[in-house]
Amino acid sequence: MALTGLDIFKQLPKTNCKDCGSPTCLAFAMAMANGKASLDMCPHATEAAKETLGAATAPPVRTVKVGVGEQEIVMGDETVLFRHDKTFYHPTALAIQISDTLSGAELDAKIAKVNALVMDRVGQKIAIDMVAITNCSGNAATFKAAVEAVAAKANFALMLVADAAGLEAAVPAVAAKKPLLHAATAENWEKVVELAKANNCPVVVKGNGLDDTAALVEKVAAQYKELVIDFGNQSQAKTLAEMVNARRLAIKKKFRPFGYPMLACTQATCAREEIVEATTYVAKYASIVCMKADEQALLLPLMAWRMNIYTDPQKPMAVDAKVYEIGDVTPDSPVYICTNFALTYFAVEGEVVGSKIPGYIVAVDTDGASVLTAWAAGKFVAEPIAEFVEKMGIMSKVNHKNIVIPGYVAIISGKLKEKSGLDVIVGPQEAAGIPAFAKANYPHLMK
């Protein structure tokens, strides 16, 4: 049972020192009970309080980190089953497999291809997160050589997939990079866990279904807690069912053996089917998805799916509210008005670029709301638009007094002209209509 604020308050020093940032110890206790504060914020908590409250107030899914520096991946620390209840915090890490049977120029080409899996979507960089070096050769020395070669050139965190002998050969050389070790099984867990502890690396515990994995995790967790769970299934349906059940038990029942990040490996042999399989695991609680597919065209929709799942539903995606120059603008360039909702802005930007007529885009601050939503909320109407345009000083950069507004809010054109003193042109309703609109109205500006 979750502790109440009063239960937590009884364990605190009750000095009301405010060192934690709360006005009183009771306020701090209530914040802890609501998940808005953690015990480590109280510098005066006793060891007894830390022991009592630590486990009771810990998140149901433990935080585990792989990699170091810019390559570090944070997993776990999730508290809900559904993103609309609160939000999901740490996006699924995508790991691309590299076999140790590759060597020389072939291995270098594979590493370069994987390093290039970095793309841009609505102004945000999206990329894979890990490289999984697999001991397909079965030879420990070959595996070690491949791991060292990949570690020297790859731009991502590492996962080492091998038996105990392969891991023992490879881990010491790359321990400083804090790779994820795959895997501790019923047969080798003591040896692999000892290796992980000695090198301060997280380790995957691989079982065979829910019951077997829970029993194995309990054994391992008694000695080491930097764990990731792999249920060891070979079918998509079973993997999905067991990850859902495990997360429910961790969140609802506080079942500690399943309170760790989970890993899923795709089984499909077709690259397209592999991406479809991966989307299932991203949606249903996998902290890592390991796959073979390495083509940008296939991975982009998977990354877009991940971005959508791990976007806070209470915070719209927004760009900075400001004036953007698209192309080689001149004093004759048109001025387009839109909201700062990211999808609206990038749709307009793409069409302005496609029109081959440089222009200014004024992204009005609507708290990230789209055109019609912002209009209905009174954030994209005459007064705030006129004030924002004046504040940005955009009209001092052009030799005309024209601004173009979205066709969907044509109703505000008269009031906006009155408030701003500018000539308001009603543009197309959809961004897709901008090229035709621009060519019809500004043919002399085409580049």
Side-chain angles (χ1 to χ4, degrees):
M1 183 181 295
L3 296 180
T4 65
L6 289 177
D7 292 330
I8 297 170
F9 176 68
K10 292 174 183 177
Q11 301 292 329
L12 297 179
K14 305 180 186 67
T15 59
N16 297 330
C17 64
K18 301 182 178 63
D19 290 345
C20 63
S22 296
T24 65
C25 287
L26 180 58
F28 178 65
M30 298 305 293
M32 280 188 65
N34 291 321
K36 297 179 180 179
S38 57
L39 189 60
D40 58 9
M41 295 169 65
C42 174
H44 309 297
T46 65
E47 291 302 318
K50 292 177 182 178
E51 184 175 347
T52 302
L53 298 177
T57 59
V61 179
R62 181 182 175 86
T63 301
V64 177
K65 298 179 180 180
V66 178
V68 294
E70 294 182 355
Q71 298 175 357
E72 182 180 78
I73 299 166
V74 181
M75 302 175 291
D77 197 25
E78 304 295 353
T79 59
V80 295
L81 285 172
F82 306 106
R83 67 189 286 266
H84 59 264
D85 288 339
K86 191 173 184 182
T87 187
F88 294 153
Y89 290 105
H90 300 300
T92 305
L94 303 179
I96 305 299
Q97 296 179 23
I98 296 181
S99 171
D100 70 346
T101 57
L102 301 177
S103 61
E106 195 175 15
L107 179 59
D108 289 343
K110 179 71 171 181
I111 296 170
K113 185 176 184 180
V114 171
N115 280 341
L117 295 175
V118 179
M119 292 159 265
D120 182 88
R121 180 175 183 264
V122 292
Q124 296 186 39
K125 186 180 82 170
I126 55 176
I128 66 160
D129 307 276
M130 301 181 73
V131 176
I133 307 101
T134 58
N135 187 201
C136 298
S137 69
N139 183 283
T142 300
F143 181 64
K144 177 185 177 184
V147 168
E148 291 176 342
V150 173
K153 298 179 180 179
N155 297 332
F156 306 104
L158 305 177
M159 177 163 63
L160 312 186
V161 185
D163 58 17
L167 292 174
E168 286 179 331
V171 169
V174 295
K177 290 183 174 290
K178 200 176 181 181
L180 176 63
L181 312 188
H182 189 295
T185 64
E187 293 75 27
N188 70 10
W189 72 268
E190 292 173 311
K191 186 178 293 187
V192 172
V193 169
E194 187 61 35
L195 178 67
K197 288 173 64 177
N199 291 278
N200 192 32
C201 296
V203 62
V204 176
V205 177
K206 184 177 181 179
N208 183 20
L210 285 173
D211 294 338
D212 182 71
T213 304
L216 183 57
V217 169
E218 285 186 316
K219 292 179 184 178
V220 174
Q223 298 187 21
Y224 195 55
K225 298 188 183 298
E226 298 302 303
L227 310 178
V228 175
I229 299 173
D230 181 353
F231 292 109
N233 295 313
Q234 300 298 312
S235 92
Q236 179 180 351
K238 193 171 183 182
T239 298
L240 171 62
E242 296 196 338
M243 286 199 300
V244 170
N245 286 328
R247 182 55 57 88
R248 282 176 177 165
L249 287 168
I251 299 288
K252 297 296 185 182
K253 302 296 184 181
K254 306 293 184 183
F255 186 61
R256 289 300 178 188
F258 291 153
Y260 297 93
M262 295 180 288
L263 176 147
C265 295
T266 55
Q267 302 298 323
T269 54
C270 168
R272 287 182 174 81
E273 291 178 3
E274 192 179 11
I275 295 298
V276 173
E277 183 180 351
T279 61
T280 303
Y281 303 146
V282 169
K284 287 300 180 183
Y285 314 129
S287 291
I288 303 175
V289 176
C290 186
M291 65 185 76
K292 299 177 288 295
D294 60 2
E295 296 294 334
Q296 280 195 356
L298 295 176
L299 289 167
L300 179 57
L302 175 61
M303 294 177 184
W305 173 249
R306 176 181 63 175
M307 180 185 287
N308 291 337
I309 293 292
Y310 285 89
T311 297
D312 189 338
Q314 301 176 40
K315 296 180 181 178
M317 296 173 62
V319 298
D320 292 337
K322 64 179 187 179
V323 176
Y324 294 85
E325 297 182 359
I326 311 302
D328 297 325
V329 292
T330 70
D332 295 316
S333 295
V335 177
Y336 298 95
I337 308 295
C338 75
T339 74
N340 72 326
F341 178 45
L343 294 181
T344 296
Y345 170 78
F346 284 106
V348 173
E349 180 195 62
E351 297 299 341
V352 172
V353 171
S355 73
K356 295 183 171 51
I357 296 176
Y360 294 96
I361 299 178
V362 180
V364 178
D365 187 2
T366 59
D367 296 324
S370 62
V371 170
L372 288 178
T373 302
W375 170 73
K379 297 177 181 178
F380 196 63
V381 292
E383 289 85 351
I385 293 175
E387 291 174 3
F388 192 81
V389 169
E390 183 178 1
K391 177 183 176 182
M392 292 294 102
I394 176 60
M395 303 316 294
S396 65
K397 297 181 179 181
V398 295
N399 58 14
H400 57 81
K401 298 181 65 177
N402 302 326
I403 57 174
V404 182
I405 64 171
Y408 277 123
V409 290
I411 193 172
I412 71 170
S413 59
K415 189 70 175 287
L416 180 56
K417 180 177 181 179
E418 176 187 330
K419 291 290 182 181
S420 66
L422 302 174
D423 294 325
V424 180
I425 301 173
V426 177
Q429 290 185 339
E430 304 287 349
I434 288 176
F437 169 85
K439 290 169 185 175
N441 289 273
Y442 311 103
H444 57 290
L445 300 179
M446 287 192 66
K447 295 288 185 178

